Amino acid sequence: YVKPFVKRQKNDAVDAEAIAEAASRPTMRFVAVKSAEKQSQAMLIKTRDLLLTQRTQTINALRGHLAEYGVIAPQGTSHIGQLALALDDPERALPQLVNDLSRELLDHLAMLEDRIDALSAHIKVIARSDEASRQLMTIPGIGPICAVAITALAPPASTFTKGRDFAAWLGLTPRQNSTGGKTRLGKTSKMGQRDLRRLLIMGAMSVVQLAARRGAPEGSWLARMLARKPKMLVAVALANKIARIAWALMARGGAYRAPAAA
């Protein structure tokens, strides 16, 4: 936004002048200032995400090292117990150093699990005590973590004029490549807050998987989409709808009401 107002000279005075000039434009957009409470909640969400990343790295390292010795387990945290049992198997005859280091990684995983569970419990307490988070949790696909993340990381609802603008800020709308009166939509833009977009897509995927197992309401939008589109595409489209609904609840209040089937 500042670049069009920068003059030829490259120095701090010219940059400051360009910033002041850009800030005076009537259509300029500004970042809303968050309260200390919301900043702390954002730090809580980010810290939990960091521990989740470390857990994934540790699991991958453990699986990779033990695979060198023929100890194989499926992907996912629920299968780590198989690796622990393999270490106690006398028929494996793993080197003692491999056993010791693997147990170090397992102990580190247990510590990470405890910290993640503690932070998740703290987030749930915040979600139950916050009115906006309780409203958001009435939307299918939004749980306590996603609700707190939206209230902590997203700008105020008044920043956007409609729900589509909020979805576009999250990067859940397709790129526009239209010209000459012809509408050409590309891939999702992936702009905006990456963590919120990921949480919304994960929540939407849980709704899609549940609908695929138990069946979506007959005649509903979700049922029609699942009948002709891949699950991942449906999940992203559903995340777009969830984002728009979330904006409407934040801007106007109230609770989510499921639409009647066509």
Side-chain angles (χ1 to χ4, degrees):
Y1 299 132
V2 176
K3 189 175 181 180
F5 303 99
V6 176
K7 297 179 181 178
R8 288 186 179 182
Q9 296 84 4
K10 181 63 179 174
N11 55 61
D12 293 341
V14 173
D15 290 345
E17 181 183 355
I19 293 172
E21 182 67 24
S24 66
R25 299 297 93 188
T27 58
M28 185 57 60
R29 292 180 289 177
F30 299 92
V31 177
V33 178
K34 295 184 181 295
S35 65
E37 180 184 8
K38 292 302 180 183
Q39 287 279 41
S40 64
Q41 293 176 8
M43 182 177 177
L44 176 60
I45 295 293
K46 293 284 190 178
T47 302
R48 181 181 177 276
D49 285 344
L50 175 62
L51 295 181
L52 286 172
T53 301
Q54 292 177 353
R55 184 182 68 176
T56 303
Q57 292 173 342
T58 305
I59 291 174
N60 289 340
L62 181 62
R63 292 182 68 254
H65 290 312
L66 291 181
E68 296 288 338
Y69 296 90
V71 181
I72 308 296
Q75 294 183 2
T77 57
S78 59
H79 301 291
I80 295 301
Q82 298 182 24
L83 299 178
L85 292 175
L87 296 178
D88 297 327
D89 188 357
E91 296 183 359
R92 295 284 184 180
L94 296 174
Q96 186 60 40
L97 182 58
V98 173
N99 266 294
D100 294 341
L101 294 175
S102 298
R103 295 189 189 283
E104 285 284 344
L105 292 175
L106 287 172
D107 291 342
H108 185 58
L109 272 177
M111 183 272 293
L112 289 174
E113 289 285 357
D114 291 340
R115 298 309 307 149
I116 291 170
D117 291 342
L119 294 180
S120 299
H122 193 176
I123 292 172
K124 291 178 182 178
V125 171
I126 294 175
R128 288 194 295 267
S129 61
D130 182 64
E131 177 63 25
S133 297
R134 290 198 300 268
Q135 291 175 347
L136 291 174
M137 284 191 293
T138 60
I139 305 173
I142 293 185
I145 295 174
C146 186
V148 173
I150 291 175
T151 58
L153 299 176
S158 57
T159 307
F160 309 98
T161 57
K162 53 183 180 292
R164 189 188 186 283
D165 293 343
F166 179 57
W169 177 81
L170 289 169
L172 291 170
T173 55
R175 290 182 179 272
Q176 289 276 359
N177 299 310
S178 305
T179 182
K182 296 181 179 179
T183 302
R184 296 187 180 91
L185 300 180
K187 298 180 180 180
T188 54
S189 63
K190 296 184 179 180
M191 302 290 287
Q193 228 295 333
R194 179 174 57 185
D195 299 314
L196 284 181
R197 182 173 64 251
R198 174 175 53 82
L199 288 171
L200 285 170
I201 291 176
M202 289 172 60
M205 179 56 77
S206 67
V207 175
V208 169
Q209 290 176 339
L210 183 64
R213 290 196 303 266
R214 300 183 181 179
E218 187 177 356
S220 64
W221 173 88
L222 185 57
R224 295 195 301 271
M225 288 289 288
L226 286 174
R228 55 190 178 90
K229 298 291 184 181
K231 288 183 181 179
M232 191 61 206
L233 189 149
V234 177
V236 175
L238 181 58
N240 188 346
K241 291 175 69 69
I242 292 173
R244 298 185 186 210
I245 297 170
W247 174 86
L249 293 188
M250 290 188 295
R252 302 166 190 164
Y256 172 78
R257 290 179 296 177

